[in-house]
Amino acid sequence: MFRKFVNMNIKALIGVGVGAAILLYLVGRKKLSGSATFSFEKFKVDLKKKAIIITLGVNNPTSQSLTINSIVGNLSLSGKVVAAVETFVKTNVMPNAKTLIDLTVKPSLVGLAQTVLALAKKTQKAADLKMKFIGNGNVDGIAIPINTQLG
């Protein structure tokens, strides 16, 4: 009887230990992915490809690599959304490093038209124009908000 009791307790302890290890791993991954930061690095127009490309930087200040599963969001110019941006290509970010990710922009004709009209009316100076990317990045399965401005 005692032996049966001991065997049951050992199985329960093993189960609790495995559960605790999984929990610690998941909490560690969440903390790790939460330490990633994003920066708006470049904006360029590629006339050959007839595309607008923005470059986001992903900073990993930890000693473990991260995986960016996807990035989605909107590109705005002086507060007006001009394009939807998305990528679902997995990208690895090495430990203690920055990785640059180029994103092809899909312009919104309405947002682009509003911005061009505002510029044509000279209601804004070119120096006052602010380009922003607002969205989310999926880092190791955790959604991280992105709110970054060029410059």
Side-chain angles (χ1 to χ4, degrees), residues 11-24:
K11 287 179 184 177
L13 285 174
I14 290 172
V16 168
V18 169
I22 290 171
L23 183 63
L24 285 173

Side-chain angles (χ1 to χ4, degrees), residues 71-147:
I71 297 174
V72 296
N74 291 314
L75 181 67
S76 65
L77 187 59
S78 293
K80 296 180 193 284
V81 174
V82 294
V85 182
E86 62 187 29
T87 183
F88 298 96
V89 176
K90 287 188 177 185
T91 304
N92 190 41
V93 182
M94 298 306 292
N96 296 306
K98 176 187 240 178
T99 298
L100 299 178
I101 300 175
D102 288 334
L103 303 170
T104 302
V105 175
K106 300 174 186 173
S108 159
L109 294 178
V110 173
L112 214 48
Q114 288 175 343
T115 304
V116 168
L117 285 173
L119 289 172
K121 291 179 183 178
K122 296 183 181 181
T123 56
Q124 295 174 315
K125 296 176 186 171
D128 294 337
L129 294 176
K130 292 184 170 87
M131 190 169 293
K132 265 185 130 172
F133 179 81
I134 299 173
N136 288 294
N138 179 323
V139 181
D140 287 331
I142 307 293
I144 305 292
I146 304 170
N147 187 346

Side-chain angles (χ1 to χ4, degrees), residues 24-110:
L24 285 173
Y25 172 78
L26 293 175
V27 167
R29 290 307 287 177
K30 181 171 172 114
K31 284 182 183 176
L32 180 65
S33 63
S35 63
T37 60
F38 292 83
S39 57
F40 196 149
E41 298 293 323
K42 288 190 276 183
F43 170 86
K44 71 178 180 177
V45 177
D46 188 334
L47 296 175
K48 289 181 183 177
K49 294 181 181 178
K50 297 180 184 175
I52 298 170
I53 298 169
I54 65 170
T55 302
L56 293 181
V58 184
N59 303 295
N60 178 8
T62 69
S63 60
Q64 293 181 328
S65 65
L66 298 173
T67 301
I68 307 299
N69 296 309
S70 61
I71 297 174
V72 296
N74 291 314
L75 181 67
S76 65
L77 187 59
S78 293
K80 296 180 193 284
V81 174
V82 294
V85 182
E86 62 187 29
T87 183
F88 298 96
V89 176
K90 287 188 177 185
T91 304
N92 190 41
V93 182
M94 298 306 292
N96 296 306
K98 176 187 240 178
T99 298
L100 299 178
I101 300 175
D102 288 334
L103 303 170
T104 302
V105 175
K106 300 174 186 173
S108 159
L109 294 178
V110 173

Side-chain angles (χ1 to χ4, degrees), residues 1-2 5 12 67 81 141:
M1 173 111 174
F2 178 73
F5 178 75
T67 301
V81 174

